Amino acid sequence: LTTTTTAANTKAMYGRLDARQRQIIAEKRFAGRLTARALIDLLGPVARFEAAAARSRASLLKWMTGGIIGTVATGFLALASGAGVVLLPLPLAGIAVALGAGLRYRRLQKLDLSNNLGGLVMPLLAVLREETDPAREVEIDLDLRAPTAPEKLVDKQPLRHYGGYEVVDSLFRDAWMSGSAQLHDGARLGWSVVDEILEQKRTKRNPRGKVKTKTRYKKRSLMKVAVALPDASFALAAAAPTGGDSVGAGAKVRVQAGEGAQTIKLGRVVKSTSLEPPDARGLIDLLAAAYRRVDPRQGAPRP
Amino acid sequence: VSPFIHRCQCRRGFFALRPCDAAAAHTCGTCRREVCDEHWSPAPPGLCLDCAARANERYAAGDYDPYWTHSYRHYYYTTTGYRPIYYGPDVDPYYNDYDVRAFDRTDAAPTEDAIDGGDDVDAVSGGDGGLDDS
């Protein structure tokens, strides 16, 4: 019943999406210029649908497994008890449950988007809504296909043997977000996030002849931010911030003087062993690190 | 502008705070500041978003609405020690807790380069941001 309710809610959520939002889900890509508020209005329901669909898929997977186990168990019982005709509806019901859940799962799987949308894009847009003028547009380019989609494969190592396993390493490069915006204080912001994913598939045949495959991931998320802060409003701080910078020891920072602005470029790598999105805090810390390196200039015109 | 129209005393922004200045329709039950509709907390009621954020220890997950942004902003300032830049005629004592950086510094500063070598950070894409070296 819970699954039916969850799946029905997910379907209802999909029904409430407009044509443009459905197009984003179908294409799994979005590139455009809109105000931060309009981007949140456009992508927020898509992110909420994706989260609900993920919950539905997890639930349907359980029902599919339960249906298969139920079919086998009740089928065995029907045969063993000799009352096959009487008990026949039970394995048939199991088949129906497994099939129904499987078909729904497959439909929802086609609509699957990268978790990066809800995990990182939406918090970033919420911060940009505060930082940009309501009429000023933000440019954003999103690739919401799965990080290990075949199109993102850049290298596949030949099969090797290691510790009784057959091992295949694949490297994926997922340049899934870039964007730019002008902030209310006159600063120009550009950012990008690129994930490099090493997928390792280890296959082993156990003594009973059953083949088992384990998949492991190592991910490096390369986050880059450049903030051009106008000289009229900001001056470089006399000393680089010490302590509490939050960007980590491995972060790279570079400051360049340009025409009428200081451009602060920052980059960092966030490592993980799953495909889950990096915490939005990583990107927000980079932006904050740029602002930590300047002070408001005395007597500057207020934006 | 009519002197009878009160202006919202909350601050917009995340890295740099600026006056909201929208027409205020409410008064916060805690800080007694005038507050516009956007900065009025739906839950708990009767508070501005700033006071609602301060009343909770952690930011709320969810819809990334203004309530989320204000609670995350408060959480971020208090856990990372970030000092927001502050625009406005006077520093509102309400924001003193965040140790804001108002127009209180001279422009003595190094002019160029490099806190760290960082050759990795040059190519940041992003439309007409024009932030690449080229």
Side-chain angles (χ1 to χ4, degrees):
Chain A
L1 185 66
T2 311
T3 308
T4 312
T5 313
T6 311
N9 285 345
T10 308
K11 194 176 176 184
M13 284 178 86
Y14 186 77
R16 286 195 293 271
L17 298 177
D18 64 27
R20 196 171 185 195
Q21 289 163 333
R22 290 182 191 186
Q23 189 184 0
I24 292 168
I25 292 172
E27 295 176 354
K28 303 182 194 304
R29 302 197 74 141
F30 174 77
R33 294 178 68 100
L34 289 170
T35 64
R37 198 175 294 252
L39 281 170
I40 289 173
D41 290 344
L42 177 70
L43 297 174
V46 176
R48 285 193 287 277
F49 166 76
E50 161 54 26
R55 285 194 297 274
S56 289
R57 281 195 299 274
S59 182
L60 287 166
L61 208 56
K62 284 180 192 167
W63 277 89
M64 202 163 61
T65 310
I68 292 167
I69 292 171
T71 303
V72 173
T74 54
F76 182 78
L77 189 69
L79 288 175
S81 66
V85 178
V86 179
L87 295 178
L88 188 62
L90 291 177
L92 288 179
I95 290 170
V97 168
L99 266 179
L103 287 172
R104 281 185 170 182
Y105 179 88
R106 205 172 149 193
R107 272 203 299 271
L108 278 179
Q109 190 66 22
K110 285 182 185 170
L111 305 177
D112 186 25
L113 294 177
S114 159
N115 293 345
N116 291 331
L117 178 62
L120 206 154
V121 177
M122 295 310 297
L124 176 66
L125 289 175
V127 169
L128 288 179
R129 178 182 53 204
E130 285 294 311
E131 278 294 317
T132 53
D133 287 330
R136 183 78 70 172
E137 291 180 331
V138 173
E139 180 165 23
I140 194 162
D141 190 350
L142 297 173
D143 181 344
L144 300 170
R145 293 173 294 177
T148 52
E151 301 84 4
K152 296 177 182 177
L153 180 70
V154 289
D155 188 27
K156 190 167 187 172
Q157 296 290 316
L159 179 77
R160 63 190 167 93
H161 294 273
Y162 177 78
Y165 285 95
E166 290 180 343
V167 180
V168 177
D169 289 336
S170 303
L171 183 67
F172 297 86
R173 189 173 187 279
D174 184 14
W176 63 269
M177 176 165 71
S178 63
S180 65
Q182 176 144 3
L183 308 186
H184 72 86
D185 55 19
R188 284 186 302 127
L189 164 68
W191 75 91
S192 69
V193 183
V194 179
D195 291 347
E196 289 176 357
I197 298 145
L198 176 65
E199 179 191 74
Q200 187 172 77
K201 284 194 170 170
R202 294 179 167 202
T203 307
K204 191 176 188 177
R205 189 180 293 273
N206 69 15
R208 295 189 303 279
K210 198 172 178 183
V211 176
K212 285 198 168 180
T213 301
K214 287 181 181 173
T215 306
R216 292 179 179 177
Y217 296 101
K218 281 186 179 175
K219 185 167 84 167
R220 296 170 78 238
S221 296
L222 313 168
M223 299 178 174
K224 292 180 184 176
V225 158
V227 188
L229 294 150
D231 286 337
S233 302
F234 298 99
L236 282 177
T242 53
D245 201 7
S246 309
V247 290
K252 301 279 190 182
V253 183
R254 191 170 173 188
V255 183
Q256 285 182 324
E259 271 188 38
Q262 302 280 347
T263 300
I264 302 177
K265 297 183 175 183
L266 303 104
R268 77 185 300 186
V269 174
V270 178
K271 294 179 180 176
S272 106
T273 53
S274 82
L275 293 179
E276 286 305 301
D279 194 325
R281 167 89 178 262
L283 203 54
I284 292 168
D285 280 346
L286 282 182
L287 279 162
Y291 276 92
R292 285 176 196 269
R293 283 169 167 75
V294 293
D295 281 322
R297 195 181 284 279
Q298 188 78 26
R302 293 189 187 105
Chain B
V1 179
S2 165
F4 300 106
I5 297 176
H6 295 265
R7 294 287 158 192
C8 178
Q9 293 174 274
C10 288
R11 294 289 183 272
R12 293 181 181 277
F14 193 94
F15 305 109
L17 302 177
R18 63 191 187 281
C20 167
D21 229 20
H26 313 275
T27 302
C28 175
T30 300
C31 65
R32 311 304 304 168
R33 292 184 305 164
E34 306 284 343
V35 180
C36 69
D37 285 339
E38 194 179 338
H39 285 110
W40 187 241
S41 170
L47 299 181
C48 65
L49 288 180
D50 281 324
C51 286
R54 290 176 186 206
N56 290 316
E57 286 191 6
R58 276 201 59 86
Y59 58 92
D63 285 345
Y64 306 111
D65 54 13
Y67 175 69
W68 179 89
T69 317
H70 279 71
S71 52
Y72 187 74
R73 183 173 83 177
H74 174 69
Y75 169 79
Y76 192 81
Y77 293 167
T78 51
T79 56
T80 67
Y82 177 74
R83 297 174 59 209
I85 288 170
Y86 187 95
Y87 295 104
D90 299 300
V91 176
D92 183 343
Y94 186 84
Y95 296 96
N96 277 353
D97 289 351
Y98 299 142
D99 197 13
V100 295
R101 291 174 289 162
F103 291 90
D104 58 356
R105 290 291 303 261
T106 63
D107 55 2
T111 53
E112 190 166 342
D113 218 347
I115 297 140
D116 190 338
D119 53 357
D120 258 348
V121 297
D122 280 347
V124 175
S125 59
D128 64 359
L131 298 171
D132 288 348
D133 281 345
S134 55

